[in-house]
Amino acid sequence: MKQKFLSGWARISLRAKLTSLSVGLIGMLLAVSSAGTIALLGTYLQQSTDTLLITTANELRTQDPLKLEAMVSSGQLALPSLPSDYYIAILDADGNQFLGLISSTGGGRAIPNFSNLTLETVMATQGAPFDIDVESSRRMGTEWRMVAVPLQLARGSVVIALPTNSNEEILAEYAVIGGRFGIFLVVLSGFSIWLTITSALRPLKEVERTAEAVQAGKFSSRLLSKHGKTEIGRLNNALNSMLDSIEGAVTGRDKTLEQMRRFVSDASHELRTPLVTVRGYAELYRMGAITKKQDVAEAMQRIESEAVRMTGLVESLLTLTRMDESGNLDLVETDLAKLADLVIKDASVANQDVNFRVVRSGRDFVAEVDSDRVKQVLTNLVANASRFAPAGSEVSLEIDAGGKNLSIKVIDHGEGIPEPLRGKVFERFYRADSSRNRSTGGSGLGLAIAQSIVTAHHGEIRAKETPDGGSTFVLELPRKQSSN
């Protein structure tokens, strides 16, 4: 039974639970309050009745019982403000009624039986109020509240009695009025609580809609920001932070998957051509189609050339992989001006059709870098510049130590890079020519490697246009690497 109740309770909505519990608590408090009020009112009414009875009895006990009826009839004796259903009796010492005074509205009603109220019994009550029951044909079980005291001018007693039905009717009427009013308050409070809880829980509907949108793939969905330190405000802020993390993770995953697909596609495309060349020459040689010594030498040269290109491509891929996985650098203080001289010297030997020069600005060119990695970046940038520069033109490497960071520029005066493509040239396997012409000898990984190395140094690399035509690659490196 308990398990079934808990199971049923768990299926009820939070709004219904809160409303029912609140209404139940209010109903219980109203019931307790009404019961307490009725109890206090009953006590007050009884105390008022007792006070009136005692006052009246003490006043009548001093009167002459033989003249009492005449005095009351003539108005010579003014009784206290007794209710209209009072009864006054004068008893002798044996409890026999000598005189009975009844109110004008008391005709035909039963009167108490005073036969047991002897003078000794009356004296034993010591003037304290007490209750007795009397049965009549009109009103069954009528209860009387009375006070009996001895007379001072005769041997007997005076009894003042009032039925308690009036007090009971007042209490019953109050209970009915209080019950109706309580039911009205419970209904009104229940409706108000339902509206309040519905308004308070409305933001949860927004949370539900946002969750459904995220489930449907709309990861940019967000909850409305709530100001202040309310529970809903903190919940919305926490959920928005979580959604930001989810969106970032999903975006990163999608980007990684897209890069991986493109990486695998481009890498397979890059490796397929040299492998086909090597396999083709090998099959020609196996089938005996290459017999002359000159043809064999040319075939071996082509195989070697393609093997060298594949080796360079694989090494570039490994370099990128290592940089992506760890980015570990061997940081030492390095004079970048001397490093630039070595790069330009090597480039001059490799390409004598282009003029190379180094331009220095400032004095302190020392920075904490991985010298081999930075030299690889500069060599790659200078090689690219000389590859696309016209014969007889100039390629300059400018190094500036005047700012917070060391700035290095590699400037050529070739065809340049269109503005929409300047961000894409750093992507892996990207070439400006969609035909993938290999006359320039590039693999499309050099600038991607350069960007990975610079990023690992917490630096920045970007491409822009040379003022008089050509391309300029700007490289900025911090002098001191941060501890993190």
Side-chain angles (χ1 to χ4, degrees):
M1 180 65 70
K2 181 179 179 181
Q3 187 67 26
K4 184 181 295 185
F5 172 77
L6 293 177
S7 177
W9 179 256
R11 288 193 293 267
I12 300 176
S13 66
L14 178 60
R15 178 172 56 185
K17 289 179 181 178
L18 293 176
T19 303
S20 60
L21 289 175
S22 300
V23 171
L25 179 61
I26 292 175
M28 183 182 68
L29 293 177
L30 285 175
V32 173
S33 176
S34 299
T37 303
I38 291 175
L40 291 175
L41 179 60
T43 302
Y44 170 76
L45 291 175
Q46 182 170 316
Q47 289 177 350
S48 298
T49 301
D50 291 347
T51 301
L52 184 61
L53 290 174
I54 293 172
T55 301
T56 304
N58 289 332
E59 184 172 344
L60 293 178
R61 68 183 297 188
T62 60
Q63 304 296 325
D64 186 354
L66 298 177
K67 300 178 180 180
L68 183 60
E69 185 176 7
M71 293 176 63
V72 172
S73 301
S74 62
Q76 296 179 7
L77 179 62
L79 296 176
S81 302
L82 288 172
S84 60
D85 51 355
Y86 68 86
Y87 188 83
I88 300 175
I90 303 297
L91 308 179
D92 60 15
D94 296 328
N96 299 316
Q97 182 171 319
F98 172 74
L99 176 65
L101 299 178
I102 191 169
S103 67
S104 59
T105 62
R109 71 181 179 188
I111 61 175
N113 182 9
F114 303 117
S115 59
N116 295 327
L117 290 179
T118 62
L119 183 58
E120 294 180 357
T121 304
V122 171
M123 294 180 64
T125 64
Q126 298 181 354
F130 57 93
D131 296 327
I132 64 171
D133 292 332
V134 62
E135 294 185 0
S136 69
S137 59
R138 293 186 181 181
R139 187 178 299 175
M140 301 299 294
T142 302
E143 186 176 275
W144 291 78
R145 186 76 170 170
M146 62 179 59
V147 172
V149 293
L151 292 170
Q152 293 183 356
L153 301 181
R155 183 175 173 77
S157 58
V158 58
V159 179
I160 313 298
L162 287 174
T164 60
N165 302 82
S166 298
N167 291 346
E168 293 175 356
E169 290 174 358
I170 292 175
L171 293 177
E173 185 175 357
Y174 181 84
V176 171
I177 295 175
R180 293 175 180 175
F181 187 67
I183 293 174
F184 172 75
L185 288 180
V186 168
V187 173
L188 179 62
S189 61
F191 182 69
S192 302
I193 291 172
W194 183 83
L195 290 179
T196 302
I197 294 176
T198 299
S199 176
L201 296 180
R202 186 173 292 116
L204 296 182
K205 286 289 186 181
E206 183 184 352
V207 173
E208 182 180 356
R209 288 193 297 268
T210 303
E212 291 175 352
V214 172
Q215 184 181 10
K218 299 178 181 179
F219 297 102
S220 59
S221 301
R222 293 294 183 274
L223 297 167
L224 294 177
S225 297
K226 302 290 184 180
H227 298 288
K229 298 182 179 180
T230 62
E231 292 79 0
I232 296 297
R234 292 196 297 268
L235 175 63
N236 283 10
N237 293 333
L239 290 178
N240 283 337
S241 299
M242 181 187 70
L243 291 176
D244 289 339
S245 301
I246 292 175
E247 184 182 16
V250 172
T251 303
R253 184 204 64 181
D254 294 342
K255 184 177 180 180
T256 300
L257 291 176
E258 179 62 27
Q259 289 177 345
M260 183 180 298
R261 284 193 291 267
R262 182 176 178 183
F263 180 84
V264 172
S265 176
D266 290 347
S268 62
H269 189 284
E270 292 290 335
L271 291 173
R272 186 183 298 115
T273 301
L275 287 174
V276 169
T277 302
V278 171
R279 181 178 178 181
Y281 279 109
E283 289 182 352
L284 288 175
Y285 181 78
R286 180 177 55 81
M287 292 185 299
I290 302 177
T291 56
K292 296 181 181 179
K293 185 176 181 181
Q294 181 180 357
D295 295 338
V296 173
E298 182 180 355
M300 293 299 105
Q301 182 181 3
R302 292 288 295 136
I303 290 175
E304 181 182 6
S305 174
E306 294 300 325
V308 169
R309 196 155 70 83
M310 282 192 296
T311 301
L313 178 62
V314 171
E315 289 178 353
S316 296
L317 291 174
L318 290 175
T319 300
L320 277 174
T321 303
R322 294 191 188 101
M323 295 302 297
D324 289 342
E325 288 178 353
S326 60
N328 293 329
L329 301 173
D330 185 12
L331 301 176
V332 294
E333 291 189 354
T334 305
D335 189 338
L336 295 184
K338 294 181 179 179
L339 196 65
D341 289 336
L342 293 175
V343 171
I344 292 298
K345 184 177 180 180
D346 294 341
S348 300
V349 174
N351 190 342
Q352 299 180 1
D353 295 332
V354 179
N355 299 320
F356 297 93
R357 71 187 183 104
V358 176
V359 180
R360 301 178 181 83
S361 178
R363 294 182 178 181
D364 185 10
F365 302 101
V366 176
E368 190 180 69
V369 297
D370 187 325
S371 58
D372 291 336
R373 298 293 188 187
V374 173
K375 183 180 179 182
Q376 182 181 1
V377 172
L378 297 179
T379 300
N380 185 281
L381 294 177
V382 172
N384 282 347
S386 62
R387 186 179 300 121
F388 294 101
S393 64
E394 181 182 83
V395 173
S396 59
L397 194 157
E398 298 181 0
I399 178 169
D400 184 4
K404 180 180 178 180
N405 298 331
L406 282 172
S407 177
I408 303 174
K409 297 180 181 179
V410 178
I411 305 172
D412 67 67
H413 301 280
E415 297 179 359
I417 303 173
E419 184 176 358
L421 304 181
R422 290 172 190 166
K424 294 184 177 181
V425 294
F426 296 101
E427 297 178 4
R428 300 178 182 185
F429 295 109
Y430 180 81
R431 289 197 188 91
D433 54 341
S434 59
S435 62
R436 296 179 179 269
N437 188 345
R438 293 176 180 76
S439 61
T440 58
S443 65
L445 292 173
L447 291 178
I449 294 173
Q451 186 181 51
S452 297
I453 294 174
V454 172
T455 301
H457 281 85
H458 306 288
E460 181 183 359
I461 184 172
R462 61 185 182 275
K464 65 179 186 178
E465 184 181 4
T466 304
D468 53 351
S471 299
T472 298
F473 284 86
V474 181
L475 170 64
E476 291 188 2
L477 292 172
R479 296 179 182 274
K480 188 77 173 179
Q481 300 298 315
S482 58
S483 58
N484 56 356

